[in-house]
Amino acid sequence: MAENIGLARGLTNYGDAGFSLYLRRSFAKSMGYSDEMLSRPVVGIADSKSGFNNCHRHFPELIEAVKRGVLAAGGLPIEFPTVSLGEVFLSPTSMMFRNLMAMDVEEMIRAQPMDAVVLVGGCDKTVPAQLMGAASADLPAVQLLAGPMMPTSFHGERLGACTDCRRFWALHRAGKVDQAGISEVEGNLATTAGTCAVMGTASTMASIAEALGMALPGSAAIPAVHADRLRAAEASGRRAVELAHKPIRPSQVITANSVENALRVLLAIGGSTNAIVHLTAIAGRAGLRVDLDRLNELSDSTPVLVDLKPTGQHYMSDLYAAGGVGAVLRELRPLLHLDCLTVTGETLGERLAHEEGAWVDRAVVRPLAEPLEKVGGLVALFGSLAPNGAILKRSAADPKLFEKEGRAVVFTSLDDLAARVDDPALDVAPEDFMVLQNAGPKSGYAMPEAGYLPIPAKLARAGLKDMVRISDARMSGTAYGTIVLHVSPEAAVGGPLALVKNGDRIRLSVKSRRIDLVVPEAELAQRKATWRAPVAAPARGYARLYMEHVLQAEDGCDFDFLRKT
Ligand code: FES
């Protein structure tokens, strides 16, 4: 076996390299491998399957297909388990564990003998975690996505997680769908393997993985249950073997220009606000910054082209049938950096040249000259309430609320929100601004997707669909509304959000990209003097590591010691 290839890489240290290799081969042979197999380059397959992750339930079949591709190309496939993050099965929120999974992926890629790796993930936090880990390990890597779920036909309409989950829950809260009805809907929202069926965080991150050049061309949108998904898995395995022989490293693919391409795609697909945080974290592993002012410039010059829920009509499987992410990239070509290298070994421009003239369904992917919206879906806001930035998904918001001043109705925590939001005595009116404090990265809740504050029941029953809501939390990529998120610095570290009181005036101007707390500075200084941090760092374990090292949203909520300096 050639030195430093395959199983000879990274030997366990017994103080005698020859003994280490002999012992490793001996133990590998206990798994029935032949000498021929043990002489091959090794492709690791990072498997994030878990019984707590419905989105990944088809991974055994997918991984068989990856192995087929690796074997056919002359490699030895060896899968290994990593942390899995099933979005709705984790408490307090999957976000708290994204960095744990990223550390796991990074360290297991580095510690185990492999020449390249196929990262198999899909549910919201798994793809960013895998890309963060792979970027830090910097071993050749191919991202293989889970693929989206199929929507379900139900009572004459199509349902798909999770925009429809929220729509029906809002109807239930407003008294328009009874308990029997909501129970029936519950069984029809998520009916196949795969990730949420709309342009939520998982679909957005899949699209970003392809736009960055880390996933194979055309692979992001293939439905989880489509045979093409298995062919993409086989091709990913095959390509990983080629990368083992002729490495292209994540550091060559994840560059300032490819990150900017990914931001363009994020804006053009009307993607999730969460993707800003995740892409910032991935870029941070490559020593790159995602600048929120630059995001605004890109947003103003990138039209929305894709008509998918939660902002549009279609599902992710429709995007695949319409031409996939390639169709979006081809429309965006004049705005993209075409010289970016991808894991295929081709540049983005070379890839798009091959796809010239491919079929596009214009009902789903609009031409650049006739977009759905002339400007991108996301903007960053700055101002006295968010000196380091906040995010608004303007494509999912009500433009009538964009230039507005309102009275703050403050909830000091998620528990306070849950206790009082539906209280008939709550002093709240449609024109008020709902403010949630202490739901950011260091709040003890670990920045959950709680920014989609429920409309108070008495207003919802009266027919109110949207109002301005402000917090340091995130929101699900499948949610919608005039919702200002990721306010930084967060309340739990004493940011201005912590100082807001009931009745304060807040001014939102999307046109000026501002969110301001209209309270005299002297008054704020007085409030700051008596402010106390709401939570102490946990005494032990991962929760303590998290609390001591997690960064704010503008740094991707990565750990300070994991970013590339
Ligand atoms: Fe896994 Fe939505 S719950 S992608």
Side-chain angles (χ1 to χ4, degrees):
M1 185 182 300
E3 253 183 49
N4 300 325
I5 291 291
L7 286 192
R9 292 173 70 102
L11 291 171
T12 314
N13 197 344
Y14 294 106
D16 175 347
F19 173 75
S20 296
L21 183 55
Y22 147 79
L23 198 67
R24 177 175 288 174
R25 287 175 59 86
S26 155
F27 281 31
K29 282 187 169 174
S30 80
M31 293 187 273
Y33 291 121
S34 63
D35 283 330
E36 196 270 320
M37 281 293 154
L38 295 182
S39 68
R40 291 181 170 204
V42 172
V43 171
I45 304 171
D47 178 7
S48 55
K49 181 179 182 305
S50 159
F52 288 107
N53 195 332
N54 59 293
C55 302
H56 295 188
R57 73 174 157 91
H58 58 312
F59 277 16
E61 193 184 23
L62 209 50
I63 284 171
E64 277 313 306
V66 177
K67 288 181 169 177
R68 192 163 69 228
V70 174
L71 288 168
L76 174 61
I78 302 183
E79 79 254 48
F80 60 99
T82 69
V83 167
S84 182
L85 303 175
E87 189 61 21
V88 300
F89 293 96
L90 290 155
S91 176
T93 163
S94 62
M95 187 62 191
M96 178 160 166
F97 305 104
R98 183 202 63 184
N99 296 349
L100 178 67
M101 181 172 175
M103 289 170 75
D104 180 3
V105 169
E106 175 185 345
E107 297 305 337
M108 288 303 102
I109 290 174
R110 197 178 277 132
Q112 299 174 131
M114 62 190 81
D115 302 288
V117 61
V118 178
L119 309 160
V120 193
C123 196
D124 288 18
K125 308 302 178 296
T126 59
V127 170
Q130 289 180 332
L131 289 174
M132 289 161 71
S136 292
D138 209 24
L139 191 81
V142 180
Q143 178 77 60
L144 175 64
L145 290 320
M149 291 180 207
M150 296 303 293
T152 307
S153 296
F154 178 77
H155 293 191
E157 64 172 318
R158 292 199 297 169
L159 298 189
C162 219
T163 304
D164 296 319
C165 318
R166 291 169 203 285
R167 180 164 62 89
F168 274 96
W169 190 250
L171 290 171
H172 178 55
R173 277 180 56 81
K176 299 201 170 91
V177 172
D178 64 12
Q179 188 54 48
I182 200 75
S183 297
E184 201 183 352
V185 167
E186 183 184 284
N188 284 281
L189 289 166
T191 57
T192 75
T195 50
C196 285
V198 300
M199 190 50 82
T201 304
S203 297
T204 306
M205 290 311 302
S207 306
I208 280 178
E210 186 175 328
L212 277 173
M214 290 297 295
L216 291 189
S219 67
I222 307 170
V225 297
H226 198 301
D228 284 349
R229 172 66 48 206
L230 295 172
R231 280 184 276 276
E234 185 183 305
S236 299
R238 188 179 278 277
R239 180 61 196 148
V241 178
E242 293 164 2
L243 289 172
H245 289 295
K246 200 167 170 216
I248 294 173
R249 298 182 184 282
S251 54
Q252 295 169 268
V253 177
I254 303 171
T255 62
N257 282 349
S258 72
V259 169
E260 198 158 294
N261 287 344
L263 282 168
R264 290 273 191 200
V265 167
L266 165 64
L267 294 159
I269 61 179
S272 161
T273 48
N274 285 321
I276 301 269
V277 176
H278 297 320
L279 187 57
T280 300
I282 294 163
R285 296 303 185 95
L288 305 164
R289 275 201 78 76
V290 171
D291 179 73
L292 292 180
D293 285 312
R294 181 67 183 144
L295 170 72
N296 280 340
E297 288 169 17
L298 295 174
S299 192
D300 287 342
S301 57
T302 309
V304 179
L305 302 177
V306 176
D307 188 12
L308 252 60
K309 290 171 186 276
T311 52
Q313 309 178 47
H314 298 98
Y315 292 91
M316 195 65 179
S317 51
D318 300 325
L319 175 61
Y320 181 56
V325 171
V328 183
L329 289 166
R330 290 196 299 281
E331 288 304 319
L332 290 176
R333 182 160 31 196
L335 303 174
L336 298 175
H337 302 285
L338 297 173
D339 55 348
C340 291
L341 186 62
T342 75
V343 287
T344 63
E346 289 189 323
T347 63
L348 177 62
E350 287 166 339
R351 172 206 163 164
L352 297 183
H354 298 318
E355 297 175 4
E356 199 64 62
W359 155 257
V360 181
D361 181 349
R362 292 298 180 197
V364 181
V365 181
R366 301 291 167 85
L368 189 63
E370 294 165 47
L372 280 168
E373 301 283 343
K374 288 203 172 69
V375 291
L378 304 172
V379 286
L381 306 174
F382 299 91
S384 61
L385 188 58
N388 296 342
I391 298 290
L392 173 79
K393 187 172 184 176
R394 61 180 165 184
S395 58
D398 182 351
K400 290 196 283 299
L401 301 176
F402 282 6
E403 308 298 320
K404 191 170 155 48
E405 188 176 305
R407 182 185 70 140
V409 175
V410 179
F411 301 91
T412 57
S413 69
L414 281 160
D415 293 340
D416 183 35
L417 175 73
R420 293 195 298 120
V421 71
D422 290 339
D423 184 344
L426 181 69
D427 179 13
V428 64
E431 58 276 13
D432 289 338
F433 287 12
M434 292 173 75
V435 175
L436 172 65
Q437 298 167 324
N438 298 313
K442 284 181 182 280
S443 64
Y445 298 98
M447 206 181 185
E449 290 185 340
Y452 177 71
L453 274 62
I455 304 285
K458 63 181 180 184
L459 300 182
R461 288 210 161 86
L464 187 69
K465 295 263 179 341
D466 195 8
M467 58 194 294
V468 176
R469 287 159 274 179
I470 302 166
S471 74
D472 46 13
R474 297 175 301 116
M475 85 172 176
S476 164
T478 61
Y480 44 85
T482 308
I483 296 175
V484 178
L485 301 153
H486 309 177
V487 168
S488 178
E490 64 174 302
V493 299
L497 186 68
L499 310 178
V500 184
K501 289 196 165 165
N502 272 323
D504 285 350
R505 306 295 295 177
I506 295 175
R507 195 179 301 131
L508 170 66
S509 172
V510 178
K511 195 168 68 188
S512 312
R513 308 281 186 269
R514 287 197 71 86
I515 181 95
D516 287 294
L517 179 56
V518 191
V519 173
E521 272 186 29
E523 166 67 17
L524 289 177
Q526 220 167 42
R527 292 182 193 177
K528 184 74 194 264
T530 56
W531 175 83
R532 295 286 170 270
V535 281
R540 61 174 298 282
Y542 177 73
R544 176 169 167 179
L545 184 77
Y546 172 90
M547 197 65 119
E548 288 178 352
H549 295 284
V550 72
L551 297 168
Q552 295 289 289
E554 70 272 18
D555 291 319
C557 300
D558 203 356
F559 290 161
D560 49 11
F561 60 88
L562 293 175
R563 287 166 66 84
K564 187 173 181 184
T565 47

